[in-house]
Amino acid sequence: MSLTVTRQAAVSPSAAGPGGRPLSEGDLAELHLIGKPMPTDRLRGWLVAGFLAIFGGFVRLQNLGFPTDNGTPVFDEKHYVPQAWEMLRNGGYEDNPGYELTVHPPFGKQLIAVGEWLFGYNGWGWRFTAAIAGTLMILLVIRIARRLTRSTLLGGIAGVLLICDGVSHVQSRMGMLDIYLAFFVLLAFGCLLLDRDQVRQRLAVAVREGWATETAYGPWLGFRWWRFLAGVSLGLACGSKWSGVFFVMAFGLMTVFWDATARRSAGVARPWQGSLLRDVLPGLWALVGVALMVYLATWWGWFASETGVDRHLADQAGHQGWYDFLPTALRSLWQYSGNVLDFHENLSTPSTDQHPWESKPWTWPMGLRPMLYYYDGGTVSCGEERCVSATMLIGTPALWWVSLPVLGWGLWRMIGRLDWRYAAFVVAYLTCLLPWFTNLDRQMYFFYATPMAAFLVLGITLVLGQIMGTVRDGYERRGTGMLVVALYVGLVVANFVWLWPILNGDSITEGRWQSELWLPSWR
């Protein structure tokens, strides 16, 4: 619910407090703070989320071990899968940098190693934890959408949409790192939504008891466990891929803005100064300090080793600069990280010899340049003489092709209607996208857009909620809205079913393969 709508509801002349008494200023402020309450069908909400997550898990896990390259990993799995196996052999660290490409933090590879420990060095082993992460994302997006919209139905719709997203599906079935980044970023987002509601509930108590405005800056809000857990999750995101740091910055600014607007809604005289005084330092500790400590903790195996990659780099380099006061292990990690940063900044391909599936970030919102992970044009199991088995990373067009209108509507709602829900979606979605425009010479691929999928689904769900309408809109308006939403969700499901063979490597005829490639840029 937007701040404007909430304020109008709060000051409605027909509004009444407990026992039918007129609302006091404190009652109005409390109502404005909390807004529309969560649905009361808690059990049904969990049953819907649980059922859809289990169903989505079956979808993600079916035939998980296929495809492979004659029993070996495919595409970029070839980097992370053997590195995870090396970690499993060594006890948590890498010591043999094949092709000098040990250029990502260890946590995602440690998670891959868990699956390899359970099932061995095979497709099921190196993809199992990715599938679990993708399944848990379905559960998370349902609960997050329910909290954003205050609707169990819309939460369930969000779950169906994410199940049917091609990017989330394929990345949940690959031994790569991006699905772990996407999972922990989404988890942090959900924790911050819970923190926002908790802050407003605490301020509502202060308003009700009359001490919210004892000072011009408002009250201290106590220890915020959900914000702390968001910091833990962001640390694990950074421990999977460094691009998690973009979300540390964006989510940190977002939560400070939420705190200031909450203080303003509580009637605090100086809400922005109060937020800077009361909230910024604890927020920095929770979202930066905790995240940093968790990130360093993901290097536990490397710290404990003697032969980890560049473990004693500081000893070899001698004194290097301002960080000489740090312990040798931390200095080695700092220098090792500098080498990795240099690798990423200079990861480019000549214009005359580009990777065939390279793409730039302006193509990602609509998935204009997908990726071919696997192709075998010599199979025969489709019933014809020549069959094709291929796995492509494609965003379901019925979802991804509406991304720009949804983003535009979100920006309008955020700026023109001060709708915090759309603001949350816009901030998260653009954090997935905009940082990649800072170095367009860098080699980039569509799988970098993996975290965008869940936030796109949340944005679409917010729009569907408005199309559906509310019970106050009348039977005919509500019925028409429900029909439009049902038709759209059915279109997404049908689109996903059509793409199924090339999302899973099923054997299909050459004609069907060609009919799957809708755009010239998909070839």
Side-chain angles (χ1 to χ4, degrees), residues 265-318:
S265 299
V268 172
R270 297 181 178 177
W272 292 97
Q273 295 93 323
S275 185
L276 291 173
L277 181 66
R278 308 275 201 235
D279 303 320
V280 168
L281 286 180
L284 285 173
W285 165 248
L287 297 182
V288 178
V290 171
L292 177 61
M293 289 191 297
V294 170
Y295 169 77
L296 291 175
T298 64
W299 290 86
W300 60 270
W302 186 87
F303 280 121
S305 76
E306 289 296 327
T307 59
V309 176
D310 286 342
R311 174 60 181 81
H312 294 284
L313 188 59
D315 292 333
Q316 302 167 14

Side-chain angles (χ1 to χ4, degrees), residues 69-141:
D69 184 5
N70 295 318
T72 66
V74 299
F75 191 62
D76 269 13
E77 286 185 327
K78 293 183 181 294
H79 298 307
Y80 312 120
V81 168
Q83 289 169 353
W85 187 254
E86 186 177 318
M87 284 184 162
L88 186 62
R89 180 197 68 197
N90 291 340
Y93 66 94
E94 302 155 88
D95 61 2
N96 183 24
Y99 304 104
E100 294 295 324
L101 284 178
T102 308
V103 292
H104 289 290
F107 189 63
K109 290 171 281 188
Q110 290 167 353
L111 291 175
I112 295 173
V114 171
E116 293 176 337
W117 174 69
L118 290 171
F119 298 103
Y121 194 76
N122 54 55
W124 263 89
W126 62 65
R127 295 170 184 156
F128 178 73
T129 52
I132 297 300
T135 301
L136 291 176
M137 286 184 69
I138 298 169
L139 179 66
L140 281 175
V141 87

Side-chain angles (χ1 to χ4, degrees), residues 34-314:
I34 297 177
K36 186 178 180 180
M38 288 292 295
T40 56
D41 57 346
R42 294 184 63 183
L43 177 60
R44 182 170 63 178
W46 279 109
L47 288 175
V48 168
F51 171 79
L52 286 174
I54 291 171
F55 177 77
F58 280 117
V59 172
R60 300 291 192 251
L61 287 164
Q62 58 79 36
N63 200 22
L64 186 65
F66 182 83
T68 64
D69 184 5
N70 295 318
T72 66
V74 299
F75 191 62
D76 269 13
E77 286 185 327
K78 293 183 181 294
H79 298 307
Y80 312 120
V81 168
Q83 289 169 353
W85 187 254
E86 186 177 318
M87 284 184 162
L88 186 62
R89 180 197 68 197
N90 291 340
Y93 66 94
E94 302 155 88
D95 61 2
N96 183 24
Y99 304 104
E100 294 295 324
L101 284 178
T102 308
V103 292
H104 289 290
F107 189 63
K109 290 171 281 188
Q110 290 167 353
L111 291 175
I112 295 173
V114 171
E116 293 176 337
W117 174 69
L118 290 171
F119 298 103
Y121 194 76
N122 54 55
W124 263 89
W126 62 65
R127 295 170 184 156
F128 178 73
T129 52
I132 297 300
T135 301
L136 291 176
M137 286 184 69
I138 298 169
L139 179 66
L140 281 175
V141 87
I142 295 170
R143 299 300 297 178
I144 290 171
R146 183 176 183 268
R147 183 161 292 273
L148 280 172
T149 63
R150 302 306 202 238
S151 168
T152 298
L153 173 60
L154 287 169
I157 288 174
V160 173
L161 297 182
L162 191 64
I163 290 172
C164 295
D165 170 54
V167 169
S168 296
H169 179 76
V170 173
Q171 289 301 105
S172 298
R173 297 167 52 80
M174 284 287 141
M176 296 166 61
L177 306 179
D178 303 83
I179 195 66
Y180 305 115
L181 170 68
F183 169 73
F184 288 115
V185 164
L186 184 64
L187 178 60
F189 183 79
C191 288
L192 289 178
L193 287 181
L194 288 165
D195 175 71
R196 180 187 181 276
D197 283 356
Q198 185 182 70
V199 162
R200 288 176 171 262
Q201 289 163 0
R202 289 180 181 180
L203 282 171
V205 171
V207 168
R208 188 165 56 247
E209 296 178 356
W211 48 273
T213 56
E214 286 183 349
T215 73
Y217 305 112
W220 293 96
L221 298 174
F223 190 82
R224 295 158 59 174
W225 282 104
W226 288 116
R227 188 172 63 180
F228 172 82
L229 291 175
V232 172
S233 186
L234 288 170
L236 296 176
C238 294
S240 301
K241 292 193 83 170
W242 275 2
S243 46
V245 75
F246 301 137
F247 297 92
V248 174
M249 297 184 287
F251 287 178
L253 293 173
M254 183 174 69
T255 190
V256 170
F257 183 85
W258 283 350
D259 291 343
T261 55
R263 290 178 183 276
R264 184 183 63 186
S265 299
V268 172
R270 297 181 178 177
W272 292 97
Q273 295 93 323
S275 185
L276 291 173
L277 181 66
R278 308 275 201 235
D279 303 320
V280 168
L281 286 180
L284 285 173
W285 165 248
L287 297 182
V288 178
V290 171
L292 177 61
M293 289 191 297
V294 170
Y295 169 77
L296 291 175
T298 64
W299 290 86
W300 60 270
W302 186 87
F303 280 121
S305 76
E306 289 296 327
T307 59
V309 176
D310 286 342
R311 174 60 181 81
H312 294 284
L313 188 59

Side-chain angles (χ1 to χ4, degrees), residues 360-411:
K360 296 303 180 184
W362 57 78
T363 68
W364 299 347
M366 294 183 63
L368 297 180
R369 185 58 174 162
M371 296 205 65
L372 183 65
Y373 282 169
Y374 171 80
Y375 180 86
D376 183 354
T379 64
V380 294
S381 56
C382 70
E384 293 191 1
E385 182 177 348
R386 184 175 183 273
C387 307
V388 171
S389 176
T391 298
M392 288 195 78
L393 181 70
I394 296 180
T396 304
L399 287 170
W400 288 72
W401 287 5
V402 301
S403 61
L404 295 181
V406 168
L407 179 60
W409 182 251
L411 287 167

